[in-house]
Amino acid sequence: MAGKLQAPRGTFDVLPADGERRQLLRENADDLLGRAGYGPFETPAFEDTEVFARGVGQSTDIVSKEMFTFEDKGGRSLTLRPEGTAGACRAYVEHGMHKLSQPVKLRYWGPFFRHEAPQAGRYRQFNQVGAEALGSDDPTLDAELILLLAELLEDSGVESRLKLSSLGNAETRASYGEELRTFLRAREGELSEEVRARVDANPLRAFDADHPGTRAVMAEAPLLIDRLDAADAEHFAEVRGLLDDAEQEYDLDPTLVRGLDYYTRTVFEFDSPSLGAQSGVGGGGRYDGLVEQLGGPPTPGVGWAAGIERILLASDEDPDDLELPVAFVAVPRPELRRMAFGIVRALRDSGARAEMEQAGRSMKGQLKQANRIGATHVVIVGDELEVKEMEGGEQRVVADEQELLEAVLG
Ligand code: AMP
């Protein structure tokens, strides 16, 4: 026999039992975001590498270490998308969406790819649900998006904490970056080697370090949130006011650094205590310079993405709360198959979930199967049509198909 094949490292198959939960989550996300005006939106699973190099930023872990990049047969450098915002902005520019009425609100759902070391809740192919609002810097968009993600998590049975901060604008960030570099260089001897190597490229990441010496230094470091200019400080105060009005709790975290370079002003992250080391369940922020960086007109934007697998891992909800009646049509003898087949179709047409015996089991085996699929009713075909209620065990003969549908559907 040939050797067994396996899904590639860091990837997984979704089997139907799990697929059902994903489907419910997707329907809920579509409904929630759709009602807030976020339209369904898709981009390709791969883009020109340039989209991410320019969009996400060369100095980030994502671009420098984690991208699945390959050359196509025409020698173009392509990359499997590691995140959704850069592609959304590329599409906004490409389709001249700045000419539409603003803001343009988009929602997406699909696979993303990062070459990370796999562990629980961290994969090389994972799925995200995301939402973006482009073309307006109105603080109600920041607050609306944060509240939508909070609601999605709550509806999904995920306990989470919101961390919130503001990164100001590009100029404030640049001059703060210089201030932080100067501060870090003065205390270089106390920093980890990794942080020291990146003082020039990305000094903000020093706040993320686990290294004890570095952490001690960072406890005394200047904070960006104390350097915001008046407009950014006011924007942040408005976002906070809106969250307070909505009674959304959050922790102000002035060291919140997200692993992407494009953020300006509001940044946020939802962590779930039940996830352990990979506690980030979703996050995002404002990226007012990104569209321009990708060749478009100056355009503000704000958005988030949340990991589907992390939401499901963190959820304490029992997924099998399907409310439809479920009928199992038993086939006592093979020659009754055709009749059973017709009844299954009639049941499905009238809105029930229905399955029939399709593996040649004994009647006893068929009743077990009915139990396994969570049947509310078993239909037994034969000279007489019978309907048995699983709860209570009541069994009765019905006169015809119409009466049978009524018995199942109530
Ligand atoms: P990010 O784009 O890094 O802000 O990620 C947004 C969300 O996507 C995170 O909060 C996670 O829930 C999820 N996520 C990111 N990377 C991975 C990964 N490698 N495996 C599984 N989920 C991920």
Side-chain angles (χ1 to χ4, degrees):
M1 202 162 70
K4 272 195 198 151
L5 294 171
Q6 291 185 333
R9 188 167 151 71
T11 70
F12 53 86
D13 301 308
V14 176
L15 306 185
D18 205 27
E20 204 89 61
R21 300 180 72 201
R22 303 170 81 90
Q23 195 64 39
L24 285 173
L25 177 57
R26 175 152 198 180
E27 282 164 17
N28 193 21
D30 280 341
D31 175 61
L32 189 69
L33 295 170
R35 282 187 294 115
Y38 293 78
F41 170 75
E42 293 177 30
T43 58
F46 57 86
E47 297 268 1
D48 272 344
T49 301
E50 193 64 15
V51 170
F52 306 114
R54 259 158 72 182
V56 180
Q58 292 283 7
S59 68
T60 61
D61 277 355
I62 293 181
V63 172
S64 65
K65 298 188 201 156
E66 296 170 2
M67 296 211 299
F68 282 95
T69 297
F70 59 99
E71 249 184 38
D72 74 0
K73 291 196 167 70
R76 299 172 199 88
S77 178
L78 299 173
T79 293
L80 298 182
R81 57 181 187 180
E83 57 91 58
T85 306
C89 291
R90 192 267 309 140
Y92 181 90
V93 176
E94 182 170 339
H95 302 285
M97 289 198 256
H98 62 279
K99 295 189 205 113
L100 304 175
S101 74
Q102 308 292 305
V104 172
K105 290 178 162 188
L106 311 166
R107 69 171 195 265
Y108 60 83
W109 173 291
F112 293 85
F113 307 85
R114 294 182 195 174
H115 200 286
E116 297 193 84
Q119 62 181 82
R122 191 160 78 190
Y123 312 99
R124 290 184 173 172
Q125 176 174 340
F126 55 97
N127 294 274
Q128 285 184 340
V129 54
E132 316 282 350
L134 288 131
S136 166
D137 65 0
D138 198 292
T140 58
L141 288 168
D142 308 50
E144 166 179 290
L145 279 159
I146 291 171
L147 293 170
L148 284 167
L149 180 50
E151 192 174 340
L152 180 65
L153 295 176
E154 194 184 329
D155 286 356
S156 311
V158 175
E159 192 198 325
S160 66
R161 284 296 300 173
L162 168 60
K163 293 190 295 191
L164 181 71
S165 191
S166 173
L167 300 179
N169 59 46
E171 294 83 64
T172 312
R173 235 176 123 175
S175 69
Y176 168 75
E178 262 326 301
E179 183 185 354
L180 187 59
R181 279 189 196 97
T182 308
F183 170 83
L184 291 172
R185 282 195 202 105
R187 312 225 4 209
E188 217 163 37
E190 300 164 66
L191 303 175
S192 75
E193 209 166 299
E194 202 191 338
V195 167
R196 220 180 307 150
R198 297 177 60 174
V199 166
D200 285 327
N202 196 349
L204 277 176
R205 292 303 298 274
F207 285 110
D208 271 352
D210 291 327
H211 176 254
T214 307
R215 291 181 72 95
V217 172
M218 296 322 285
E220 294 164 23
L223 296 174
L224 176 54
I225 202 149
D226 298 325
R227 302 285 184 271
L228 299 185
D229 73 15
D232 293 340
E234 190 191 326
H235 190 274
F236 192 44
E238 287 204 42
V239 173
R240 293 177 59 182
L242 291 162
L243 295 178
D244 292 341
D245 288 351
E247 292 176 17
Q248 171 65 50
E249 287 180 19
Y250 57 85
D251 296 324
L252 260 195
D253 181 353
T255 68
L256 180 59
V257 179
R258 303 197 22 85
L260 305 106
D261 271 358
Y262 48 61
Y263 287 114
T264 55
R265 293 190 161 177
T266 317
V267 282
F268 56 92
E269 202 162 270
F270 285 85
D271 284 345
S272 177
S274 51
L275 280 176
Q278 299 300 313
S279 64
V281 66
R286 190 162 266 294
Y287 44 85
D288 291 345
L290 183 55
V291 169
E292 200 175 358
Q293 215 162 302
L294 291 171
T299 309
V302 55
W304 53 254
I308 305 307
E309 291 74 29
R310 297 235 184 122
I311 292 179
L312 294 175
L313 272 172
S315 165
D316 59 8
E317 213 133 89
D318 189 5
D320 51 19
D321 55 352
L322 286 172
E323 278 158 23
L324 285 179
V326 181
F328 183 81
V329 182
V331 184
R333 299 188 304 281
E335 60 271 26
L336 293 168
R337 194 183 283 147
R338 203 162 162 179
M339 185 178 181
F341 192 73
I343 287 172
V344 153
R345 291 184 46 228
L347 281 161
R348 289 178 191 157
D349 281 350
S350 53
R353 188 178 138 192
E355 293 185 41
M356 65 178 276
E357 175 54 30
Q358 292 173 307
R361 272 176 280 256
S362 68
M363 271 312 275
K364 195 170 157 212
Q366 294 188 38
L367 288 177
K368 272 197 191 150
Q369 176 65 5
N371 250 322
R372 261 183 237 123
I373 69 159
T376 52
H377 297 79
V378 175
V379 176
I380 301 155
V381 299
D383 296 335
E384 287 183 323
L385 270 178
E386 284 181 88
V387 178
K388 177 179 160 129
E389 273 186 46
M390 294 298 270
E391 209 181 288
E394 190 196 326
Q395 188 159 342
R396 65 180 170 113
V397 174
V398 290
D400 53 23
E401 200 174 279
Q402 189 53 39
E403 209 176 293
L404 177 130
L405 295 180
E406 279 161 23
V408 172
L409 293 161

